[in-house]
Amino acid sequence: MKASQEGSPLAIFMISDSVGATAQKVTQAGLAQYPQLAIDEIRRFPFVRDSQTLIPILEDALKEQAIVITTLVSDQLNQMVEEFCTLHGLDHVDYISPLMRIISRRTQLKPTRQSGSIHAMNKNYFDRVDAIEFAVKFDDGRSPRGFLESDLVLLGVSRTSKTPLSIYLANNNSLKVSNLPLVPEITLPKEIFQVPKEKLIGLIASPRYIMRIRQERVKVLGLGQGSAYDDLSRIKSELLYAQKIYDQLGIPVVNIENKSIEETVVHIEAILNQYQ
Amino acid sequence: MKASQEGSPLAIFMISDSVGATAQKVTQAGLAQYPQLAIDEIRRFPFVRDSQTLIPILEDALKEQAIVITTLVSDQLNQMVEEFCTLHGLDHVDYISPLMRIISRRTQLKPTRQSGSIHAMNKNYFDRVDAIEFAVKFDDGRSPRGFLESDLVLLGVSRTSKTPLSIYLANNNSLKVSNLPLVPEITLPKEIFQVPKEKLIGLIASPRYIMRIRQERVKVLGLGQGSAYDDLSRIKSELLYAQKIYDQLGIPVVNIENKSIEETVVHIEAILNQYQ
């Protein structure tokens, strides 16, 4: 059931004075509400910073009767889009002006109107890049000294999302995160016992959930059958071992079952906030 | 110059039925326009899915005269917020309804009204997680067979942002990206010559830019002085070597100088689109 059969076909033009990543995120959230919708065309126009660049894009949008989505900080360009869309009856969503208007009114402050401010290469930016490099470097218990330099260490058996969680927390929270796979046969590195408790979180899920994910993994990697990796009783004993370690260390545990990375992170953040 | 001196202090309440990551991104883009603004409090309320949870939050927002930012897909909850904010004169920005209204009107389709649809654990989600794990696993030329399985291989001398770029492209574009550090003294792995040209991109910047970034690195890592790492003539010869390799392989080159990861990715995407 495609949109072109259901109603009129849709094109979306995203126009930004920077890279357009913000517009893309919000637009995706909206579109996710219409899984049956086939968008004909989503076109991203980054770095649009003057009217000579903007006008031909608007004219193309008109030809395609596209929904125009903008994140432009220039007052002049925003007015131009507004007037063009009103004049020609084009649908328009502006994801930056409404909040800016409120803030300016309430604080009497003027916005910088500088394009791409969110990508400014300031200390925050470099902290975030450092955190990502840290997470990559110290993934999978690669170097035990990483545990002592970490803001957070995630522990868990295989397939508890340790790696993507570490990367996400680095990218979004600028935290230096390392992780340690728990395997009953492998002694914990001594550094783990030197990490302050409030920097450790254990990950958990039900044996059947882990089994299903490992089975998928086995298929994708084309591994042979009959390995212990996706054997339910083996997984149960791994998880019992993990829980024993968490008890021993006295650390909080987060259940990752049926949660996306973004959802699990909310629970991790709640734990970290308690310590603050 | 803080806001509390300039105008009234500001609190922001972000209310979402899912994790609130979308609301956070757009809000940050707006706030980046006011670097001089000290926000008293940004509070995130994730997983708000019923009126019993919503109403006490709105009452707190009223007490603090907060700007209310919502990404709620429920019609009923949105109406409740709208009425409450109108009644009490609270500022409100809704980042999800405007686009949904347009799409519903133009396509006659009904939204699913399912919270957290954007975090659905579907094939796209798992492809993205796989891509992130791939990027971590094959970072820094760690295992040459990774080059042959990659959607994209980034080449560059130290400090050309290979790692964060690989991770970003994995997370945002679900591409399997590996990267190879170029060092004049180290022979290229033979696998690089087997990778199709359209899957290779070289990274570059001016010697002085690389030098400045390496000097920062040396400080952060507390390395000793006098190493070749941040020596300008050494860096020049590394970059000449890199350019020679790019010419030899016949691959496109992206200049990363003064660009954030997000900005560089736009240029990489433009190159990848040309091949499609």
Side-chain angles (χ1 to χ4, degrees):
Chain A
M1 195 168 63
K2 298 291 172 196
S4 40
Q5 298 159 350
E6 277 282 307
S8 45
L10 271 195
I12 293 184
F13 276 37
M14 292 195 284
I15 309 175
S16 171
D17 49 28
S18 177
V19 302
T22 303
Q24 196 173 28
K25 278 259 180 286
V26 214
T27 304
Q28 278 167 350
L31 294 179
Q33 288 298 311
Y34 302 86
Q36 74 278 55
L37 180 66
I39 298 287
D40 293 319
E41 201 183 8
I42 299 191
R43 284 172 68 184
R44 244 171 90 188
F45 301 89
F47 306 123
V48 176
R49 294 180 182 178
D50 52 53
S51 53
Q52 297 94 301
T53 318
L54 176 61
I55 289 179
I57 298 169
L58 290 175
E59 283 166 353
D60 282 349
L62 179 58
K63 272 181 218 145
E64 303 192 27
Q65 288 292 307
I67 299 174
V68 176
I69 292 178
T70 52
T71 47
L72 298 164
V73 294
S74 151
D75 227 5
Q76 191 212 341
L77 295 186
N78 274 323
Q79 272 186 32
M80 212 171 267
V81 175
E82 198 50 55
E83 283 168 19
F84 187 95
C85 291
T86 308
L87 183 66
H88 297 285
L90 274 186
D91 288 313
H92 173 216
V93 184
D94 177 345
Y95 279 125
I96 195 104
S97 305
L99 181 59
M100 279 173 60
R101 269 196 292 270
I102 293 171
I103 295 178
S104 286
R105 175 170 48 74
R106 296 211 18 193
T107 63
Q108 320 297 328
L109 291 171
K110 285 197 194 343
T112 61
R113 306 251 178 229
Q114 210 146 41
S115 305
S117 293
I118 201 176
H119 304 299
M121 295 171 78
N122 49 24
K123 184 169 179 305
N124 288 344
Y125 173 79
F126 288 108
D127 283 349
R128 187 161 68 92
V129 168
D130 277 352
I132 293 171
E133 292 181 341
F134 186 93
V136 171
K137 189 168 170 192
F138 294 112
D139 180 57
D140 204 33
R142 228 170 240 148
S143 168
R145 98 185 142 74
F147 299 130
L148 301 174
E149 298 169 29
S150 301
D151 298 318
L152 178 66
V153 183
L154 299 175
L155 283 66
V157 307
S158 174
R159 294 288 109 194
T160 45
S161 309
K162 297 184 296 299
T163 300
L165 282 171
S166 304
I167 295 292
Y168 188 94
L169 286 161
N171 187 36
N172 274 56
N173 305 48
S174 297
L175 289 176
K176 292 188 172 166
V177 187
S178 59
N179 67 72
L180 177 69
L182 295 180
V183 184
E185 290 76 13
I186 299 176
T187 314
L188 290 189
K190 65 178 191 313
E191 286 83 356
I192 281 293
F193 298 95
Q194 297 160 15
V195 176
K197 233 198 287 192
E198 60 270 22
K199 293 188 177 179
L200 292 168
I201 287 182
L203 304 171
I204 209 110
S206 75
R208 285 192 182 274
Y209 183 77
I210 299 284
M211 182 182 71
R212 278 204 310 278
I213 299 196
R214 288 196 187 174
Q215 283 169 342
E216 279 305 311
R217 206 72 309 235
V218 167
K219 260 190 255 166
V220 169
L221 299 180
L223 298 179
Q225 293 296 309
S227 84
Y229 187 66
D230 58 350
D231 175 78
L232 190 59
S233 66
R234 162 72 193 185
I235 293 171
K236 277 183 185 164
S237 71
E238 284 184 33
L239 286 167
L240 281 172
Y241 167 75
Q243 188 59 57
K244 211 186 73 187
I245 298 290
Y246 302 154
D247 292 344
Q248 187 187 338
L249 293 165
I251 62 174
V253 174
V254 171
N255 191 326
I256 61 129
E257 189 154 340
N258 291 320
K259 292 193 193 88
S260 70
I261 299 305
E262 288 82 354
E263 289 166 338
T264 303
V265 163
V266 174
H267 297 274
I268 293 177
E269 285 172 345
I271 291 173
L272 296 177
N273 286 339
Q274 280 171 12
Y275 291 121
Q276 279 177 351
Chain B
M1 195 168 64
K2 298 291 170 195
S4 41
Q5 298 161 348
E6 277 283 310
S8 45
L10 272 195
I12 293 184
F13 276 38
M14 293 195 284
I15 310 175
S16 172
D17 50 28
S18 178
V19 302
T22 304
Q24 197 174 27
K25 278 260 180 287
V26 214
T27 305
Q28 278 168 349
L31 294 178
Q33 288 298 311
Y34 302 86
Q36 73 277 54
L37 179 66
I39 298 287
D40 294 318
E41 201 183 6
I42 298 191
R43 284 172 67 185
R44 245 171 89 186
F45 301 89
F47 306 123
V48 177
R49 293 180 182 176
D50 50 53
S51 53
Q52 297 94 300
T53 318
L54 176 62
I55 289 178
I57 298 170
L58 290 175
E59 282 166 353
D60 282 351
L62 180 59
K63 271 182 220 144
E64 303 192 27
Q65 290 290 307
I67 300 175
V68 176
I69 292 178
T70 52
T71 47
L72 298 164
V73 294
S74 150
D75 228 5
Q76 191 212 341
L77 295 186
N78 274 323
Q79 271 186 32
M80 211 171 268
V81 176
E82 198 50 55
E83 282 167 19
F84 188 95
C85 291
T86 308
L87 183 66
H88 297 287
L90 272 187
D91 289 312
H92 173 216
V93 184
D94 177 346
Y95 279 125
I96 194 107
S97 304
L99 181 60
M100 279 173 61
R101 268 196 293 270
I102 294 170
I103 294 178
S104 286
R105 175 169 50 72
R106 295 210 21 191
T107 63
Q108 321 296 328
L109 291 171
K110 284 195 192 346
T112 62
R113 305 254 179 228
Q114 210 145 41
S115 306
S117 293
I118 202 177
H119 304 300
M121 295 171 77
N122 50 23
K123 183 170 180 304
N124 288 345
Y125 172 78
F126 287 108
D127 283 351
R128 188 162 68 93
V129 168
D130 277 351
I132 293 171
E133 292 181 340
F134 185 94
V136 171
K137 190 168 171 192
F138 295 112
D139 180 57
D140 205 33
R142 228 169 239 148
S143 168
R145 98 183 142 78
F147 299 131
L148 301 174
E149 298 169 29
S150 302
D151 298 320
L152 178 66
V153 183
L154 299 175
L155 284 66
V157 307
S158 175
R159 293 290 110 194
T160 45
S161 308
K162 297 183 296 299
T163 299
L165 282 171
S166 304
I167 295 292
Y168 188 93
L169 286 160
N171 188 36
N172 273 56
N173 306 47
S174 295
L175 289 176
K176 292 189 170 164
V177 187
S178 58
N179 66 73
L180 177 69
L182 294 180
V183 184
E185 290 75 15
I186 300 176
T187 316
L188 289 189
K190 65 178 188 315
E191 286 83 355
I192 281 293
F193 298 95
Q194 297 158 17
V195 176
K197 234 197 287 190
E198 59 271 23
K199 294 187 175 179
L200 293 168
I201 287 180
L203 303 171
I204 209 110
S206 75
R208 284 191 183 274
Y209 183 78
I210 298 285
M211 181 182 71
R212 278 204 310 277
I213 298 195
R214 288 195 186 174
Q215 282 170 342
E216 279 306 310
R217 208 62 321 227
V218 167
K219 260 190 255 165
V220 170
L221 299 180
L223 299 177
Q225 293 295 313
S227 82
Y229 186 66
D230 58 349
D231 175 79
L232 190 59
S233 66
R234 162 71 193 186
I235 293 171
K236 278 183 185 163
S237 71
E238 283 185 34
L239 286 168
L240 281 173
Y241 167 74
Q243 189 59 58
K244 210 186 75 188
I245 299 289
Y246 302 154
D247 292 343
Q248 186 187 339
L249 293 166
I251 62 174
V253 174
V254 171
N255 191 326
I256 60 130
E257 190 154 341
N258 291 320
K259 293 193 192 90
S260 71
I261 299 304
E262 289 82 354
E263 290 166 337
T264 303
V265 163
V266 174
H267 296 275
I268 293 178
E269 285 172 344
I271 290 173
L272 297 178
N273 286 340
Q274 279 172 11
Y275 291 121
Q276 278 178 352

